[in-house]
Amino acid sequence: MGLAFDHLVVASRSLAEGVAWIEARAGSEMGPGGKHAAMGTHNRLLSLGPGRFLEVIAIDPEASAPDRARWFDLDAAHMRARLEAGPALIHWVARSDDLDAALDALAGARPEVLSLRRGDYRWRIGVPRDGSLASAGAHPTVIQWEGRHPADTLPDVGCRLESLTLRHPQSKALLQSLARAGLEEPEIGADPQGAGISARIRVPGGIVELSQ
């Protein structure tokens, strides 16, 4: 079925705050993004090389409230409280060329599958009805792109993912489950201590570490 790292998710109280936070660390200007009408959010993207990117996402103050919980726990009180302290790396997304088979292969509750679009981009994605993040964000959201991939049009500013660590008491079992579903990413590791994820990103000026 194929399963691969797709992108990191950084959340913030406002898009401008999150973009400034990443640009200060990366030393590079973020690329464009857009609006997600179905979720009431908007984003900007930073290339991490071919087929990979980092997304800064925030609730769009100009959008109507969606008729469901927003993705990535953005409506949850604990997430709003966390973001009051500043932007944070909260999650990661894996892509598959067969979303339904990947979701069947992974452990845990099966999310609702949504068909979404942003401009010229179209995708199917698994999102729990309550918008929650499984395993404190260590368990990835799975996406299947239909056609173009956003990384294909982002400027390459020399940023690359060095490592991604899944932090959860069950993270080793999670990584094994991901491997059975087809994930082959040697830079992704597991740590049973803590909760969430952390990442090391090589930028033109050195190494940047991001975490929850």
Side-chain angles (χ1 to χ4, degrees), residues 87-105:
L89 174 66
I90 63 165
H91 194 41
W92 68 293
V93 177
R95 69 174 175 271
S96 174
D97 52 15
D98 188 337
L99 176 64
D100 297 294
L103 293 177
D104 287 341

Side-chain angles (χ1 to χ4, degrees), residues 61-205:
E62 298 179 353
S64 300
D67 59 1
R68 55 163 297 141
R70 292 179 176 90
W71 45 20
F72 308 142
D73 253 350
L74 292 179
D75 287 322
H78 71 87
M79 181 62 72
R80 291 182 182 242
R82 168 62 188 86
L83 298 181
E84 285 298 316
L89 174 66
I90 63 165
H91 194 41
W92 68 293
V93 177
R95 69 174 175 271
S96 174
D97 52 15
D98 188 337
L99 176 64
D100 297 294
L103 293 177
D104 287 341
L106 291 175
R110 185 183 176 94
E112 181 179 4
V113 174
L114 305 178
S115 293
L116 302 175
R117 64 179 297 173
R118 176 177 68 78
D120 294 335
Y121 302 111
R122 293 174 174 79
W123 66 94
R124 298 174 69 233
I125 188 169
V127 182
R129 183 65 195 177
D130 63 1
S132 61
L133 293 177
S135 302
H139 192 299
T141 289
V142 183
I143 193 170
Q144 181 177 357
W145 295 99
E146 299 179 330
R148 299 174 64 198
H149 188 278
D152 295 342
T153 58
L154 289 173
D156 188 341
V157 293
C159 297
R160 297 291 187 271
L161 179 68
E162 287 280 304
S163 66
L164 173 64
T165 303
L166 314 182
R167 301 187 182 279
H168 190 272
Q170 302 301 319
S171 59
K172 291 184 178 180
L174 169 58
L175 200 55
Q176 291 171 352
S177 175
L178 290 166
R180 289 193 296 271
L183 185 73
E184 297 180 357
E185 302 283 9
E187 65 269 49
I188 299 180
D191 185 342
Q193 303 299 316
I197 64 174
S198 60
R200 288 168 53 87
I201 300 172
R202 181 169 295 281
V203 302

